[in-house]
Amino acid sequence: MKNINKKLQILLLLPLIAVQIKCGSSKSTASNSGKAESWITTTDETSKLKKQPDLVFNSDANSNQTILVDASQKFQTIEGFGFALTGGSAQSILKLDKAKREALLQELFSRKNDAVGLSYLRISIGASDLNETVFSYDDMPEGQTDLKLEHFNLGPDLKDVVPVLKEILAINPKIKIMGSPWSPPVWMKDNGNTKGGSLQPKYYQVYAEYFVKYILAMKAQGIVIDAITPQNEPLHPGNNPSLLMLAEQEADFVGNNLGPAFKAAGIKTKIIVYDHNCNKPEYPLTILKDAKANPFVTGSAFHLYEGDISALTKVHDAFPNKDLYFTEQYTGSKSSFENDLKWSVKNVVIGSMRNWSKNALSWGLANDENYKPFTPGGCSTCKGALMIDQNQNIKREVGYYIIGHASKFVPEGSVRIGSNIAGNLHNVAFKTPSGQIVVIVENDGTAAETFNIKYNQKQISTTLNAGAVATYVW
């Protein structure tokens, strides 16, 4: 009888034990056992986003440099990490047979297994310079206009960008998408050319309606455009396609036409201004100081082909209620894996995050072995994160690892938290929605560094080679 009672007690306790075990579970097994997981990419390419043996937290005193992580210091909430899905990128991906394409898109956009979890994409409104041909959504014969936009259609995007986006959305329905135009339709411009020129003021209102039509046309395809910029690189009219749009012109367009058009149509898509280099913070500041434009503007976007990443903080400090975005940086065919890894992780990922950006995007997602397609006069040295050749071989280039060190571990909704830069160890820290701590470190020195990462009175000690990048998670 005693044995029966004991068995009965054990049976009654089993569900309670199971609940306790379940409640104590977490995504990271390391954090439950006083350990941190780590992934490393080295400049010699012997390790590429490769998982390392777990590191054990301890309280031992040492003389190492220390990165102190402070979760009580909270900064911006992160919207995502990713790339531009150019028309050329979509074409390259569509070359793959269905099974190979599905496997690649799962690896890029899901959060399962070894996926890198890309969570933000930028696409061009009309053609960018990484399209095969130049087009807008309302091209007309020379000398003709279309003031009612009766000929508006998504054109070539329906053959490549839209189908690929639909496959991506099936994997990650919450992915954020930003649209940016390289040029309006030629008939709206003062030079009658896809390259350069300015938008004629008499077409400001019809161009605002062009944006409305674009957002609604994409919505009809099941694609929500979260944000737009009025013009990609408005101070670079030398690309093909391109447009010169001065700060005062963009302020006028946003305040008097684009913002009111969105409001009238009930469109919630964010308007993000500037979308160009860090050397001209006065450009977005001019727009944000404009009384008519300001209420319609969510934030400002930056690239880093010129200037210093700290320009984002200058704009943040002047308008702390407006958001910051980092929307483009290319990796070049003539640069080395080592140089691009070091520079881009330090500036584009760590630098943008430490200067209030809510995202970090690299340029093209994919191209072929000849860095094509690109428009006549477009970028011939832009290297995608993926190289997909004619035989459907996929090579993961440096851009994949630059962004992957963040996107794989820092999902949308994560918050940047406090961490100090220790000597050559540039870093940024986050707390994810599930409560994990993520620290990305780049050793910008010329020798290996042994250091600590300290959190809540305990620390891990580790070594990182010169130029190497690591992500630590617990």
Side-chain angles (χ1 to χ4, degrees), residues 205-252:
Q205 188 57 38
V206 70
Y207 193 40
E209 297 298 334
Y210 178 94
F211 277 87
V212 171
K213 276 190 171 286
Y214 167 71
I215 290 163
L216 294 177
M218 291 296 272
K219 186 179 178 182
Q221 295 291 332
I223 299 164
V224 175
I225 303 300
D226 182 73
I228 59 91
T229 64
Q231 175 59 38
N232 168 69
E233 298 192 339
L235 299 177
H236 176 33
N239 203 353
N240 187 27
S242 61
L243 179 83
L244 176 67
M245 184 179 266
L246 302 177
E248 294 77 11
Q249 293 171 322
E250 189 162 304
D252 183 6

Side-chain angles (χ1 to χ4, degrees), residues 210-466:
Y210 178 94
F211 277 87
V212 171
K213 276 190 171 286
Y214 167 71
I215 290 163
L216 294 177
M218 291 296 272
K219 186 179 178 182
Q221 295 291 332
I223 299 164
V224 175
I225 303 300
D226 182 73
I228 59 91
T229 64
Q231 175 59 38
N232 168 69
E233 298 192 339
L235 299 177
H236 176 33
N239 203 353
N240 187 27
S242 61
L243 179 83
L244 176 67
M245 184 179 266
L246 302 177
E248 294 77 11
Q249 293 171 322
E250 189 162 304
D252 183 6
F253 176 58
V254 170
N256 293 304
N257 305 100
L258 187 62
F262 277 20
K263 186 177 181 181
I267 285 173
K268 304 297 183 187
T269 301
K270 302 179 184 86
I271 297 174
I272 313 293
V273 298
Y274 188 40
D275 206 8
H276 207 172
N277 287 329
C278 288
N279 62 331
K280 299 284 185 184
E282 61 270 21
Y283 188 114
L285 288 172
T286 297
I287 300 169
L288 292 171
K289 288 173 185 174
D290 185 280
K292 281 191 175 180
N294 180 288
F296 297 113
V297 176
T298 299
S300 311
F302 288 85
H303 307 175
L304 191 54
Y305 302 110
E306 292 183 80
D308 189 271
I309 196 67
S310 61
L312 278 71
T313 290
K314 182 175 181 180
V315 176
H316 171 268
D317 289 350
F319 290 91
N321 63 323
K322 299 295 184 180
D323 295 333
L324 280 302
Y325 294 84
F326 191 92
T327 48
E328 181 187 315
Q329 194 69 30
Y330 96 137
T331 50
S333 61
K334 296 176 181 178
S335 184
S336 67
F337 185 99
E338 175 181 359
N339 289 341
D340 278 337
L341 179 73
K342 287 176 61 176
W343 190 90
S344 285
V345 172
K346 176 184 174 182
N347 291 284
V348 173
V349 177
I350 294 170
S352 73
M353 292 292 111
R354 292 189 73 94
N355 285 279
W356 296 97
S357 184
K358 295 175 78 75
N359 72 349
L361 308 180
S362 194
W363 186 210
L365 179 59
N367 52 20
D368 70 13
E369 61 268 45
N370 299 307
Y371 307 105
K372 290 182 177 179
F374 49 83
T375 62
C379 181
S380 60
T381 59
C382 290
K383 181 164 61 178
L386 305 168
M387 187 275 284
I388 303 174
D389 70 17
Q390 300 303 317
N391 298 317
Q392 300 195 28
N393 296 309
I394 303 167
K395 182 184 178 187
R396 288 148 189 81
E397 301 280 12
V398 65
Y400 175 96
Y401 301 102
I402 291 165
I403 296 297
H405 263 282
S407 63
K408 184 177 176 69
F409 310 100
V410 186
E412 179 192 356
S414 299
V415 175
R416 181 171 79 87
I417 58 174
S419 67
N420 60 299
I421 292 178
N424 295 315
L425 300 169
H426 290 262
N427 65 84
V428 64
F430 305 90
K431 189 170 186 177
T432 72
S434 67
Q436 289 187 319
I437 303 298
V438 179
V439 183
I440 303 168
V441 182
E442 181 260 341
N443 179 1
D444 208 47
T446 56
E449 297 256 9
T450 299
F451 61 99
N452 309 318
I453 302 177
K454 191 171 185 178
Y455 179 71
N456 284 352
Q457 308 307 313
K458 290 198 173 183
Q459 66 193 24
I460 51 172
S461 300
T462 188
T463 301
L464 193 60
N465 288 344

Side-chain angles (χ1 to χ4, degrees), residues 1-20:
M1 191 70 179
K2 284 182 181 178
N3 287 339
I4 292 170
N5 285 337
K6 281 183 181 177
K7 284 179 183 177
L8 188 60
Q9 286 174 334
I10 290 165
L11 285 170
L12 288 169
L13 283 169
L14 280 174
L16 184 60
I17 293 165
V19 168
Q20 288 173 332

